[in-house]
Coordinates of all heavy atoms in Angstrom, one line a residue:
E484 N -28.0 9.3 8.2 CA -27.6 8.9 9.6 C -26.5 7.9 9.6 O -25.7 7.9 10.5 CB -28.9 8.4 10.3 CG -29.9 9.5 10.4 CD -29.4 10.9 11.0 OE1 -28.5 10.9 11.8 OE2 -29.9 11.9 10.5
T485 N -26.5 6.9 8.6 CA -25.4 6.0 8.6 C -24.0 6.7 8.4 O -23.1 6.4 9.0 CB -25.6 5.0 7.4 OG1 -26.8 4.3 7.7 CG2 -24.5 4.0 7.3
L486 N -24.0 7.7 7.4 CA -22.8 8.4 7.2 C -22.4 9.3 8.4 O -21.2 9.4 8.7 CB -22.9 9.2 5.9 CG -23.1 8.4 4.6 CD1 -23.2 9.4 3.4 CD2 -21.9 7.5 4.4
R487 N -23.4 9.9 9.0 CA -23.1 10.7 10.2 C -22.5 9.8 11.3 O -21.6 10.3 12.1 CB -24.3 11.4 10.7 CG -24.7 12.6 10.0 CD -25.8 13.4 10.8 NE -26.5 14.3 10.0 CZ -25.9 15.4 9.5 NH1 -24.7 15.8 9.8 NH2 -26.7 16.2 8.7
G488 N -23.1 8.7 11.5 CA -22.8 7.9 12.7 C -21.5 7.1 12.6 O -20.9 6.7 13.6
Y489 N -21.1 6.7 11.4 CA -19.9 5.9 11.2 C -18.7 6.7 10.7 O -18.8 7.8 10.2 CB -20.1 4.8 10.2 CG -21.0 3.7 10.8 CD1 -22.2 3.3 10.3 CD2 -20.5 3.0 11.9 CE1 -23.0 2.3 10.8 CE2 -21.3 1.9 12.5 CZ -22.5 1.6 11.9 OH -23.2 0.6 12.5
P490 N -17.4 6.2 10.9 CA -16.2 7.0 10.8 C -15.7 7.1 9.3 O -14.5 7.0 9.1 CB -15.2 6.3 11.6 CG -15.7 4.9 11.5 CD -17.2 4.9 11.5
F491 N -16.7 7.3 8.4 CA -16.2 7.3 7.0 C -15.6 8.7 6.6 O -16.1 9.7 6.9 CB -17.4 7.0 6.1 CG -18.1 5.7 6.3 CD1 -19.4 5.6 6.4 CD2 -17.3 4.6 6.4 CE1 -20.0 4.3 6.7 CE2 -17.9 3.3 6.7 CZ -19.2 3.2 6.8
D492 N -14.5 8.5 5.9 CA -13.8 9.7 5.3 C -14.4 10.0 3.9 O -14.3 11.2 3.4 CB -12.3 9.5 5.2 CG -11.7 9.3 6.6 OD1 -11.9 10.1 7.5 OD2 -11.1 8.2 6.8
A493 N -14.9 9.0 3.2 CA -15.5 9.2 1.9 C -16.4 7.9 1.7 O -16.3 7.0 2.5 CB -14.5 9.2 0.8
V494 N -17.2 8.0 0.7 CA -18.1 6.8 0.5 C -18.4 6.6 -1.0 O -18.4 7.6 -1.8 CB -19.4 7.1 1.3 CG1 -20.1 8.3 0.8 CG2 -20.4 5.9 1.2
V495 N -18.6 5.4 -1.4 CA -19.1 5.0 -2.7 C -20.5 4.6 -2.6 O -20.9 3.8 -1.7 CB -18.3 3.9 -3.3 CG1 -18.8 3.6 -4.7 CG2 -16.8 4.2 -3.4
L496 N -21.4 5.3 -3.3 CA -22.8 5.0 -3.3 C -23.2 4.1 -4.4 O -23.0 4.4 -5.6 CB -23.6 6.3 -3.4 CG -23.3 7.4 -2.4 CD1 -24.0 8.7 -2.8 CD2 -23.6 7.0 -1.0
L497 N -23.8 2.9 -4.1 CA -24.2 2.0 -5.2 C -25.7 1.9 -5.3 O -26.4 1.5 -4.3 CB -23.7 0.6 -4.8 CG -22.1 0.5 -4.8 CD1 -21.7 -1.0 -4.5 CD2 -21.5 0.9 -6.1
G498 N -26.3 2.4 -6.4 CA -27.7 2.4 -6.6 C -28.1 2.0 -8.0 O -27.2 1.8 -8.8
G499 N -29.3 1.9 -8.2 CA -29.8 1.5 -9.6 C -31.2 1.8 -9.8 O -31.5 2.8 -10.5
C500 N -32.1 1.0 -9.2 CA -33.5 1.2 -9.5 C -33.9 2.6 -9.0 O -33.3 3.2 -8.1 CB -34.3 0.2 -8.7 SG -36.0 -0.1 -9.4
D501 N -35.0 3.1 -9.6 CA -35.4 4.5 -9.6 C -35.1 5.3 -8.3 O -34.5 6.4 -8.4 CB -36.9 4.7 -9.9 CG -37.2 4.4 -11.4 OD1 -36.3 3.8 -12.1 OD2 -38.3 4.7 -11.8
K502 N -35.7 4.9 -7.2 CA -35.6 5.7 -6.0 C -34.3 5.5 -5.2 O -34.0 6.4 -4.4 CB -36.8 5.4 -5.1 CG -38.2 5.5 -5.7 CD -38.4 6.8 -6.3 CE -39.7 6.9 -7.1 NZ -39.8 6.0 -8.3
T503 N -33.6 4.4 -5.5 CA -32.3 4.3 -4.7 C -31.3 5.3 -5.1 O -30.5 5.8 -4.3 CB -31.7 2.9 -5.0 OG1 -31.5 2.7 -6.4 CG2 -32.7 1.8 -4.5
Q504 N -31.3 5.8 -6.4 CA -30.3 6.7 -6.8 C -30.5 8.1 -6.1 O -29.6 8.6 -5.5 CB -30.3 6.9 -8.3 CG -30.0 5.6 -9.0 CD -29.8 5.8 -10.5 OE1 -29.2 6.8 -10.9 NE2 -30.1 4.8 -11.3
P505 N -31.7 8.7 -6.3 CA -31.8 10.0 -5.6 C -31.7 10.0 -4.1 O -31.2 10.9 -3.5 CB -33.2 10.5 -6.1 CG -34.0 9.3 -6.5 CD -32.9 8.4 -7.0
A506 N -32.2 8.9 -3.5 CA -32.1 8.8 -2.1 C -30.7 8.8 -1.6 O -30.3 9.4 -0.6 CB -32.8 7.5 -1.6
L507 N -29.8 8.0 -2.3 CA -28.4 8.0 -1.9 C -27.8 9.4 -2.0 O -27.1 9.8 -1.1 CB -27.7 7.0 -2.8 CG -28.0 5.5 -2.6 CD1 -27.5 4.7 -3.8 CD2 -27.3 5.0 -1.3
L508 N -28.1 10.0 -3.1 CA -27.5 11.4 -3.3 C -28.0 12.4 -2.2 O -27.2 13.1 -1.7 CB -27.9 12.0 -4.7 CG -27.5 11.2 -6.0 CD1 -27.9 12.0 -7.2 CD2 -26.0 10.9 -6.0
M509 N -29.3 12.3 -2.0 CA -29.9 13.3 -1.0 C -29.2 13.0 0.4 O -28.8 14.0 1.1 CB -31.4 13.1 -0.9 CG -32.1 13.6 -2.2 SD -33.8 13.0 -2.4 CE -34.6 13.7 -0.9
G510 N -29.1 11.8 0.8 CA -28.6 11.5 2.1 C -27.1 11.8 2.2 O -26.7 12.5 3.2
A511 N -26.4 11.5 1.2 CA -24.9 11.8 1.3 C -24.7 13.3 1.2 O -23.8 13.8 1.8 CB -24.2 11.1 0.1
A512 N -25.5 14.0 0.4 CA -25.4 15.5 0.3 C -25.6 16.1 1.7 O -24.9 17.0 2.1 CB -26.3 16.0 -0.7
S513 N -26.6 15.6 2.4 CA -26.9 16.2 3.7 C -25.8 15.8 4.7 O -25.5 16.6 5.6 CB -28.3 15.7 4.2 OG -29.3 16.2 3.5
A514 N -25.2 14.7 4.6 CA -24.2 14.3 5.6 C -22.9 15.0 5.3 O -22.0 15.0 6.1 CB -24.0 12.8 5.5
R515 N -22.7 15.5 4.1 CA -21.5 16.3 3.7 C -20.3 15.5 3.8 O -19.2 16.0 4.1 CB -21.4 17.5 4.6 CG -22.5 18.5 4.5 CD -22.4 19.7 5.4 NE -23.2 20.8 4.9 CZ -22.9 22.1 4.9 NH1 -21.7 22.4 5.3 NH2 -23.8 22.9 4.6
I516 N -20.4 14.2 3.4 CA -19.2 13.3 3.3 C -18.9 13.3 1.8 O -19.8 13.0 1.0 CB -19.5 11.9 3.9 CG1 -20.1 12.0 5.3 CG2 -18.3 11.0 3.8 CD1 -19.1 12.3 6.3
P517 N -17.6 13.4 1.4 CA -17.3 13.2 0.0 C -17.7 11.9 -0.5 O -17.6 10.9 0.1 CB -15.8 13.3 0.0 CG -15.4 14.0 1.2 CD -16.4 13.7 2.3
F518 N -18.4 11.9 -1.7 CA -18.9 10.6 -2.2 C -18.7 10.6 -3.7 O -18.6 11.6 -4.4 CB -20.3 10.4 -1.9 CG -21.3 11.3 -2.6 CD1 -21.8 11.0 -3.9 CD2 -21.8 12.5 -2.0 CE1 -22.7 11.8 -4.5 CE2 -22.7 13.3 -2.7 CZ -23.2 13.0 -3.9
V519 N -18.7 9.4 -4.2 CA -18.8 9.1 -5.7 C -19.9 8.1 -5.9 O -20.0 7.2 -5.1 CB -17.4 8.6 -6.3 CG1 -16.9 7.4 -5.5 CG2 -17.5 8.3 -7.8
F520 N -20.7 8.4 -6.9 CA -21.9 7.6 -7.2 C -21.6 6.6 -8.3 O -21.0 7.0 -9.3 CB -23.1 8.4 -7.5 CG -24.3 7.6 -7.9 CD1 -25.1 7.1 -6.9 CD2 -24.6 7.4 -9.2 CE1 -26.2 6.4 -7.2 CE2 -25.7 6.6 -9.6 CZ -26.5 6.1 -8.6
L521 N -22.0 5.4 -8.2 CA -22.0 4.4 -9.2 C -23.3 3.7 -9.4 O -23.8 3.1 -8.4 CB -20.8 3.4 -9.0 CG -20.7 2.3 -10.1 CD1 -20.1 3.0 -11.4 CD2 -19.8 1.2 -9.7
A522 N -23.8 3.7 -10.6 CA -25.1 3.0 -10.8 C -24.9 1.5 -11.2 O -23.8 1.2 -11.6 CB -25.9 3.7 -11.9
S523 N -25.9 0.7 -11.1 CA -25.8 -0.7 -11.4 C -25.7 -0.8 -13.0 O -25.1 -1.8 -13.4 CB -27.1 -1.5 -11.0 OG -28.3 -0.9 -11.6
G524 N -26.1 0.2 -13.7 CA -26.0 0.1 -15.2 C -27.3 -0.4 -15.8 O -28.1 -1.2 -15.2
P525 N -27.6 0.0 -17.1 CA -28.8 -0.5 -17.8 C -28.8 -2.0 -18.0 O -27.7 -2.6 -18.3 CB -28.8 0.3 -19.1 CG -27.7 1.3 -18.9 CD -26.7 0.9 -17.9
A526 N -30.0 -2.6 -18.0 CA -30.1 -4.0 -18.4 C -30.0 -4.1 -19.9 O -29.9 -3.1 -20.6 CB -31.5 -4.4 -18.0
T527 N -30.0 -5.3 -20.4 CA -29.9 -5.5 -21.8 C -31.1 -6.2 -22.3 O -31.3 -7.5 -22.1 CB -28.6 -6.4 -22.2 OG1 -27.5 -5.8 -21.6 CG2 -28.5 -6.5 -23.7
P528 N -32.2 -5.5 -22.7 CA -33.4 -6.1 -23.1 C -33.3 -7.1 -24.2 O -32.4 -7.1 -25.0 CB -34.3 -4.9 -23.6 CG -33.6 -3.7 -22.9 CD -32.2 -4.0 -22.9
R529 N -34.2 -8.1 -24.1 CA -34.2 -9.2 -25.1 C -35.4 -9.0 -26.0 O -36.3 -8.2 -25.8 CB -34.4 -10.6 -24.4 CG -33.3 -10.8 -23.3 CD -31.9 -10.8 -23.9 NE -31.0 -11.3 -22.9 CZ -29.7 -11.0 -22.9 NH1 -29.2 -10.1 -23.8 NH2 -28.9 -11.5 -22.0
S530 N -35.4 -9.8 -27.1 CA -36.6 -9.8 -28.0 C -37.6 -10.8 -27.6 O -37.3 -11.9 -27.2 CB -36.2 -10.1 -29.4 OG -35.3 -9.1 -29.9
A531 N -38.9 -10.4 -27.6 CA -40.0 -11.3 -27.3 C -40.3 -12.1 -28.6 O -39.7 -11.8 -29.7 CB -41.2 -10.6 -26.8
T532 N -41.2 -13.1 -28.5 CA -41.6 -13.8 -29.6 C -42.1 -12.9 -30.7 O -42.9 -11.9 -30.4 CB -42.8 -14.8 -29.2 OG1 -42.3 -15.6 -28.2 CG2 -43.2 -15.6 -30.4
G533 N -41.7 -13.1 -31.9 CA -42.1 -12.2 -33.0 C -41.0 -11.1 -33.3 O -41.2 -10.3 -34.1
G534 N -40.0 -11.1 -32.4 CA -38.9 -10.2 -32.6 C -39.1 -8.8 -32.0 O -38.2 -7.9 -32.1
Q535 N -40.3 -8.6 -31.4 CA -40.5 -7.2 -30.8 C -39.6 -7.0 -29.6 O -39.5 -7.9 -28.7 CB -41.9 -7.1 -30.4 CG -42.3 -5.7 -30.0 CD -43.9 -5.6 -29.7 OE1 -44.6 -6.6 -29.9 NE2 -44.3 -4.5 -29.3
L536 N -38.9 -5.9 -29.6 CA -38.0 -5.7 -28.4 C -38.8 -5.5 -27.2 O -39.8 -4.8 -27.1 CB -37.2 -4.4 -28.7 CG -36.2 -4.0 -27.6 CD1 -35.0 -5.0 -27.6 CD2 -35.6 -2.6 -27.8
A537 N -38.4 -6.3 -26.1 CA -39.1 -6.2 -24.9 C -38.4 -5.3 -23.9 O -37.4 -5.7 -23.3 CB -39.2 -7.7 -24.3
N538 N -39.0 -4.1 -23.8 CA -38.5 -3.2 -22.7 C -39.6 -2.5 -22.1 O -40.8 -2.6 -22.6 CB -37.4 -2.3 -23.3 CG -38.0 -1.3 -24.3 OD1 -38.9 -1.6 -25.0 ND2 -37.4 -0.1 -24.4
A539 N -39.4 -1.6 -21.1 CA -40.4 -1.0 -20.4 C -41.3 -0.1 -21.2 O -42.5 -0.1 -21.2 CB -39.9 -0.3 -19.2
T540 N -40.7 0.7 -22.1 CA -41.5 1.5 -23.0 C -42.4 0.7 -23.9 O -43.5 1.0 -24.2 CB -40.5 2.4 -23.9 OG1 -39.8 3.3 -23.0 CG2 -41.3 3.3 -24.8
G541 N -41.8 -0.5 -24.4 CA -42.6 -1.4 -25.2 C -43.8 -1.9 -24.4 O -44.8 -2.2 -25.1
V542 N -43.7 -2.1 -23.1 CA -44.8 -2.5 -22.3 C -46.0 -1.6 -22.5 O -47.2 -2.0 -22.7 CB -44.5 -2.7 -20.9 CG1 -45.7 -2.9 -20.0 CG2 -43.5 -3.8 -20.6
W543 N -45.8 -0.3 -22.4 CA -46.9 0.7 -22.5 C -47.5 0.6 -23.9 O -48.8 0.6 -24.0 CB -46.4 2.1 -22.3 CG -45.6 2.2 -20.9 CD1 -44.3 2.6 -20.8 CD2 -46.2 2.0 -19.6 NE1 -44.0 2.6 -19.5 CE2 -45.1 2.3 -18.7 CE3 -47.4 1.7 -19.1 CZ2 -45.2 2.2 -17.3 CZ3 -47.6 1.6 -17.8 CH2 -46.5 1.8 -16.9
R544 N -46.7 0.4 -24.9 CA -47.3 0.3 -26.3 C -48.1 -0.9 -26.4 O -49.2 -1.0 -27.0 CB -46.2 0.3 -27.4 CG -45.4 1.6 -27.4 CD -44.9 1.9 -28.8 NE -44.4 3.3 -28.8 CZ -43.1 3.6 -28.5 NH1 -42.3 2.7 -28.1 NH2 -42.7 4.9 -28.5
L545 N -47.5 -2.0 -25.8 CA -48.2 -3.3 -25.9 C -49.6 -3.3 -25.2 O -50.6 -3.8 -25.8 CB -47.3 -4.4 -25.3 CG -47.9 -5.8 -25.3 CD1 -48.1 -6.3 -26.7 CD2 -47.0 -6.7 -24.5
V546 N -49.6 -2.7 -24.1 CA -50.9 -2.6 -23.3 C -51.9 -1.9 -24.2 O -53.1 -2.3 -24.3 CB -50.6 -1.9 -22.0 CG1 -52.0 -1.6 -21.3 CG2 -49.8 -2.8 -21.1
D547 N -51.6 -0.7 -24.8 CA -52.5 0.0 -25.6 C -53.0 -0.9 -26.8 O -54.1 -0.9 -27.2 CB -51.9 1.3 -26.1 CG -52.0 2.4 -25.1 OD1 -52.6 2.2 -24.1 OD2 -51.4 3.5 -25.4
Q548 N -52.0 -1.6 -27.4 CA -52.3 -2.4 -28.6 C -53.2 -3.6 -28.2 O -54.2 -3.9 -28.8 CB -51.0 -3.0 -29.2 CG -50.2 -2.0 -29.9 CD -48.8 -2.5 -30.2 OE1 -48.5 -3.7 -29.9 NE2 -47.9 -1.7 -30.8
L549 N -52.9 -4.2 -27.0 CA -53.8 -5.3 -26.5 C -55.2 -4.8 -26.3 O -56.2 -5.4 -26.6 CB -53.2 -5.9 -25.3 CG -52.0 -6.9 -25.5 CD1 -51.4 -7.2 -24.1 CD2 -52.4 -8.1 -26.2
R550 N -55.3 -3.6 -25.6 CA -56.6 -3.1 -25.2 C -57.4 -2.7 -26.5 O -58.6 -2.8 -26.5 CB -56.5 -1.9 -24.3 CG -55.9 -2.4 -22.9 CD -55.8 -1.3 -21.9 NE -57.1 -0.9 -21.4 CZ -57.7 0.3 -21.5 NH1 -57.1 1.2 -22.1 NH2 -58.9 0.4 -21.0
A551 N -56.6 -2.4 -27.6 CA -57.3 -2.0 -28.8 C -57.6 -3.3 -29.7 O -58.1 -3.2 -30.8 CB -56.5 -1.0 -29.6
G552 N -57.1 -4.5 -29.2 CA -57.3 -5.7 -29.9 C -56.4 -5.9 -31.1 O -56.7 -6.7 -32.0
Q553 N -55.2 -5.2 -31.1 CA -54.4 -5.2 -32.3 C -53.1 -6.0 -32.2 O -52.5 -6.3 -33.2 CB -54.0 -3.7 -32.6 CG -55.2 -2.9 -33.1 CD -54.8 -1.5 -33.3 OE1 -53.7 -1.1 -32.9 NE2 -55.6 -0.7 -33.9
S554 N -52.6 -6.3 -31.0 CA -51.2 -6.9 -30.9 C -51.2 -8.3 -31.3 O -52.1 -9.1 -30.9 CB -50.7 -6.7 -29.5 OG -49.5 -7.3 -29.4
Q555 N -50.1 -8.7 -32.0 CA -49.9 -10.1 -32.3 C -48.9 -10.7 -31.3 O -48.6 -11.9 -31.4 CB -49.3 -10.2 -33.7 CG -50.2 -9.7 -34.8 CD -51.6 -10.4 -34.8 OE1 -51.6 -11.6 -34.8 NE2 -52.6 -9.6 -34.8

Side-chain angles (χ1 to χ4, degrees):
E484 298 310 326
T485 298
L486 293 179
R487 278 194 199 288
Y489 283 121
F491 299 133
D492 298 304
V494 63
V495 180
L496 306 174
L497 297 181
C500 202
D501 289 14
K502 304 306 176 293
T503 58
Q504 300 191 33
L507 288 163
L508 300 184
M509 289 160 65
S513 289
R515 297 181 164 218
I516 306 286
F518 72 83
V519 54
F520 177 81
L521 181 70
S523 59
T527 306
R529 308 297 191 208
S530 295
T532 304
Q535 189 174 356
L536 184 69
N538 67 328
T540 298
V542 170
W543 305 117
R544 294 208 171 89
L545 178 66
V546 168
D547 278 354
Q548 287 167 4
L549 282 173
R550 295 184 73 239
Q553 291 176 350
S554 176
Q555 300 301 311

